[in-house]
Amino acid sequence: MVLRKARLAGAATVVLAIGFVGVVTLGTYAASGVPESSSAALGLSGGTVPAAYRPQIQKWGALCPEISAPMLAAQLYQESGFDPAAKSPAKAYGMAQFLEGTWATYGTDGDGDGKQDIWNAFDAIASAATYDCALARDVAKVPGDKQSNMLAAYNAGPYAVIEHNGIPPYRETQGYVRSIQALAKSFTAPADPGVQLALSREATGAIWFAQSKLGTDYLWGGTGQAWENGRFDCSGLTKIAYESVGIELPRVANDQWYAGPHPSRDQLRPGDLVFFANDLEDPRTIHHVGIYVGGGYMIDAPHTGAKVRYDTIDQRDYIGATRVTPDGAAALPDRNLNDGTITKSETPKVD
């Protein structure tokens, strides 16, 4: 990603002349069990789920009106990060993290091979949707938002939702409902291609921070701490830049990808995070992130031996961008940096 000197100078000129100056002044559940239609038939935003699973999530996300493909994707991401081999200490297994007793009831043959395999990704996706819709039926007579009640039943059980005539007053349950619905926005294809012109205070502040670190040496794993001599890697820079304005991002780039909605290339505006991947059909292969500053350029910490600098985003491995939102960032699960597993308060599907 090394720019020629002329292009680097051009980047600075673009940002200072027409980009950054502007920034600082802006402040139907079928009886057969097969999906037919859904009032929440929302599309998936490009690049947010591995391509191999996209058709299945889109299909089963229309199983009943209370769910949608983005909401189902958000659940699967929070449960396992789309890992079909995921295991938890609570003995929940597979992409959808089912306990064996619950799987015995709700396990569904998603790929038509005549088996219900807890480790099969297609079966797990179909089973997660089947379980969601069963819960929705259990709490169908409870007043209020039906998807919220279904999610609350997923977390606390349907009897708690029925008893409290809605989302129970449990902090964990209320947080789960908020998190999944906020995270679902990151997976939702935008219905309106228009882009608001005003930048958020957070986006402006993140750019200010990143610009103040231009010329800083790269350090693998660096987050700018004193013992690291103030050095950064790519996701360390973006994490601390947004932390400076009160938004806590995950540590790794492919988790930061889900911190908000995904503008298209022609909808980019300064402050968006821009991402690069080895496989443009699989967000799990994201390997680099920067902060967009306008004019086709970003500020990033590129690689060992380089410094924080302006780089073009016009790279062959550009997968897309994320417009960070406080709600989107807060909804993301934590990841164990030692083994990459997602850590969170366990809410297993009880036997």
Side-chain angles (χ1 to χ4, degrees):
M1 288 194 232
V2 178
L3 290 174
R4 297 178 183 177
K5 291 183 179 179
R7 295 186 70 190
L8 184 57
T13 301
V14 168
V15 172
L16 295 177
I18 65 173
F20 194 70
V21 171
V23 169
V24 298
T25 59
L26 290 173
T28 324
Y29 189 80
S32 64
V34 177
E36 287 188 349
S37 64
S38 172
S39 61
L42 300 173
L44 289 168
S45 186
T48 54
V49 301
Y53 308 140
R54 183 184 182 95
Q56 198 79 347
I57 293 173
Q58 194 72 63
K59 169 185 175 181
W60 288 94
L63 182 60
C64 64
E66 292 80 8
I67 68 174
S68 68
M71 191 223 77
L72 180 60
Q75 284 185 306
L76 295 166
Y77 171 71
Q78 190 182 75
E79 292 289 350
S80 68
F82 302 114
D83 181 5
K87 301 178 181 180
S88 83
K91 297 183 179 180
Y93 305 124
M95 183 186 289
Q97 289 291 277
F98 272 94
L99 295 175
E100 291 180 324
T102 312
W103 181 266
T105 301
Y106 297 101
T108 302
D109 177 13
D111 58 3
D113 66 356
K115 303 175 184 178
Q116 297 89 37
D117 182 357
I118 201 169
W119 302 108
N120 180 302
F122 296 151
D123 291 356
I125 293 167
S127 301
T130 299
Y131 183 66
D132 280 342
C133 291
L135 291 172
R137 295 196 301 277
D138 289 340
V139 298
K141 295 182 179 180
V142 177
D145 180 72
K146 293 186 178 299
Q147 185 182 93
S148 297
N149 288 339
M150 181 276 294
L151 289 170
Y154 183 98
N155 179 268
Y159 297 111
V161 177
I162 295 170
E163 178 184 357
H164 292 279
N165 212 30
I167 302 173
Y170 309 150
R171 183 175 179 180
E172 179 182 319
T173 301
Q174 293 175 348
Y176 178 79
V177 174
R178 285 195 304 269
S179 293
I180 293 299
Q181 292 184 327
L183 187 56
K185 294 178 182 178
S186 179
F187 290 92
T188 303
D192 183 359
V195 179
Q196 296 178 355
L197 294 178
L199 296 185
S200 67
R201 175 188 63 84
E202 293 84 1
T204 304
I207 293 174
W208 270 115
F209 181 92
Q211 192 179 51
S212 75
K213 302 304 176 182
L214 288 168
T216 302
D217 288 334
Y218 177 95
L219 176 67
W220 173 260
T223 57
Q225 304 303 312
W227 62 85
E228 299 166 330
N229 294 322
R231 295 174 292 172
F232 298 90
D233 66 7
C234 66
S235 57
L237 176 63
T238 52
K239 175 179 172 61
I240 303 304
Y242 268 95
E243 189 175 289
S244 74
V245 293
I247 296 180
E248 185 72 27
L249 291 175
R251 178 62 185 88
V252 295
N254 58 1
D255 284 332
Q256 293 179 6
W257 170 244
Y258 294 105
H262 303 283
S264 63
R265 176 67 176 81
D266 61 352
Q267 296 171 346
L268 285 176
R269 69 182 191 222
D272 291 344
L273 297 184
V274 285
F275 294 84
F276 305 83
N278 295 321
D279 181 351
L280 301 186
E281 296 294 330
D282 190 345
R284 295 172 299 180
T285 69
I286 287 173
H287 62 82
H288 189 59
V289 59
I291 299 179
Y292 188 65
V293 294
Y297 288 90
M298 63 181 170
I299 296 176
D300 69 328
H303 52 74
T304 300
K307 298 179 183 294
V308 176
R309 67 193 189 192
Y310 295 113
D311 268 325
T312 179
I313 70 168
D314 292 325
Q315 310 284 341
R316 293 179 61 185
D317 56 350
Y318 175 79
I319 189 173
T322 297
R323 185 156 297 150
V324 175
T325 66
D327 288 347
L332 295 174
D334 295 324
R335 185 178 294 277
N336 186 322
L337 295 181
N338 293 322
D339 60 13
T341 57
I342 287 178
T343 60
K344 53 179 169 49
S345 297
E346 292 292 339
T347 56
K349 303 160 196 65
V350 295
D351 286 313

